[in-house]
Amino acid sequence: MIEIAGTQYALNDPVILTVGGVVTLILLLLFLSLRAANRSARMAEPLSRQMAHLGQHVQQLGQGQEQLRGGLQHVSDTQANAQVQVIQTVETRLSSVQQQMNDRLADNAMKSARALAEMQERMKESLHGSSKQTATSLTQLQERLAAIDKAQDNITKLSGDVLSLQDILSNKQTRGAFGEIQLNDIVSKALPSDSFQLQATLSNGRRADCLINLPNPPGPIVIDSKFPLEAYEALIGSTNDMELKAAVQMFRSTVRKHITDISEKYILDGETADGALMFLPSEAVYAELHAKFPELVQESFTKRVWIVSPTTCMATLNTMRAILKDARMREQAGAIRKELGLLHKDVERLGDRVGNLDRHFGQAAKDISEIKISAEKAGRRAQRLDNFDFEELAPDDQTNVVPLGQSEG
């Protein structure tokens, strides 16, 4: 029997047995735990040391964290202060900028108002000026319309003149007269009036439209202005190949005949130059002839007939004017040479007379010198007579005394 806390228990009691077993088990477990704890203590000693070392690191980390917390607090305070200063500065600048913007807006508003007023004034002036200019322009427009009406009348009149000119050119005789007038105008502008003759009659009875009086050589040269334009008009008016072929043939034969007539009529041995000029009153005919009919041009060279247009005729006449000028200078060369001979004789005669005059001047200078000597002596004698110094005359003066009625040497 076992007594516990005043209560008795039997040893064979199942409860006691169970409790005893449990206690025994507990004691056994406790013993095992103690042994395991000892082993664990021995095994955990390095770990504890590491833990202690780790604790020191953790402590140091805590200290660093504390320092970091202090630094962060300082940075936070500094940042807060800087932020407050930035906010204050920004507010100040915003206030200043706002004030400046307000001032500028007010200034711009005033300037805009003034500019608007000035623009309105200028617009009023411009509108007033535009109205005046419009009125002036309308007046000028009316005047120009009147001028246009007058010009229209002139154009109508000119159209009638053109039609009359066309009638003139359609007639062979009047067209020849027109060519002669054109040639006369060109020649009269390029040459002196005494160097050419219009409608001059040659020894063979032919009448030349113009005869240029060039010196020999080459001698007088004839210019003919009666070029047949009918063939050229037919050439440019051809509408098909057949008409063009016939017009080309007619133009070639007509021009060839005209060249032959000029060569036979106006080139006379001993009377005219060894050639003549065929005047074409149109540059178009001249260009057509040289561009499409070079054989006719070559044939004219062979027959000594030189084809000229108004432009080339003016150039040729300018060359002739230079020839005339040179010939007239040669004509005057003899007279100039004669006058130079007479001038040379006059110069020689003048030299002789200057020599004679120089001799006369030399003799006159000698006479004047002797007269001065005589005058000086006469003056001294007059002075002595005035002082009654007859007895004091020097011997040399007495020897120089000349009796009355004789001259000093």
Side-chain angles (χ1 to χ4, degrees), residues 158-316:
L158 182 61
S159 299
D161 295 339
V162 170
L163 291 176
S164 62
L165 178 62
Q166 185 176 2
D167 294 337
I168 291 173
L169 296 179
S170 61
N171 191 326
K172 183 176 181 179
Q173 294 181 351
T174 55
R175 185 173 62 246
F178 177 75
E180 292 175 4
I181 293 172
Q182 188 177 7
L183 177 62
N184 183 14
D185 183 63
I186 294 173
V187 173
S188 61
K189 290 180 179 178
L191 298 178
S193 58
D194 59 346
S195 62
F196 64 91
Q197 298 178 15
L198 299 176
Q199 301 299 320
T201 303
L202 303 179
S203 60
N204 58 0
R206 302 293 182 178
R207 179 172 293 180
D209 295 328
C210 181
L211 180 66
I212 309 297
N213 297 317
L214 294 178
N216 288 316
I221 186 169
V222 175
I223 304 178
D224 183 80
S225 63
K226 295 183 290 293
F227 182 79
L229 291 177
E230 295 87 352
Y232 177 73
E233 293 174 353
L235 181 64
I236 62 175
S238 302
T239 58
N240 51 55
D241 294 340
M242 185 177 296
E243 291 181 358
L244 179 61
K245 185 176 180 180
V248 168
Q249 185 64 29
M250 183 177 67
F251 184 80
R252 183 178 287 108
S253 61
T254 303
V255 173
R256 181 177 288 113
K257 182 179 182 303
H258 190 59
I259 293 172
T260 303
D261 291 341
I262 294 175
S263 177
E264 293 176 353
K265 294 177 182 179
Y266 302 127
I267 300 177
L268 304 177
D269 292 336
E271 182 178 355
T272 65
D274 191 19
L277 298 179
M278 183 175 71
F279 177 73
L280 301 181
S282 173
E283 298 288 347
V285 180
Y286 183 81
E288 184 76 16
L289 187 62
H290 281 75
K292 297 182 179 179
F293 300 93
E295 71 279 3
L296 294 178
V297 178
Q298 187 63 36
E299 185 174 348
S300 68
F301 291 162
T302 304
K303 295 185 178 181
R304 298 167 297 174
V305 176
W306 322 121
I307 302 174
V308 294
S309 65
T311 303
T312 57
C313 182
M314 179 62 73
T316 305

Side-chain angles (χ1 to χ4, degrees), residues 40 59 81 93 116 132 134 138 145 155 161 164-165 168-169 202 209 213 225 247 272 283 319 348 362 395 409:
S40 298
Q59 186 178 2
N81 293 330
R93 291 184 178 179
L116 183 60
K132 292 177 64 177
T134 303
L138 289 175
L145 288 174
I155 290 173
D161 295 339
S164 62
L165 178 62
I168 291 173
L169 296 179
L202 303 179
D209 295 328
N213 297 317
S225 63
T272 65
E283 298 288 347
T319 305
E348 289 180 349

Side-chain angles (χ1 to χ4, degrees), residues 85-129:
Q85 292 178 358
V86 169
I87 291 173
Q88 292 177 355
T89 303
V90 170
E91 288 179 352
T92 303
R93 291 184 178 179
L94 285 175
S95 177
S96 176
V97 169
Q98 185 175 4
Q99 184 64 33
Q100 291 178 0
M101 289 182 64
N102 291 332
D103 295 340
R104 290 182 180 178
L105 287 174
D107 190 15
N108 291 334
M110 293 177 63
K111 290 181 179 179
S112 298
R114 288 197 298 270
L116 183 60
E118 293 176 357
M119 185 180 295
Q120 290 177 351
E121 187 66 24
R122 286 197 299 268
M123 288 181 64
K124 290 180 181 178
E125 294 177 357
S126 178
L127 290 174
H128 181 66

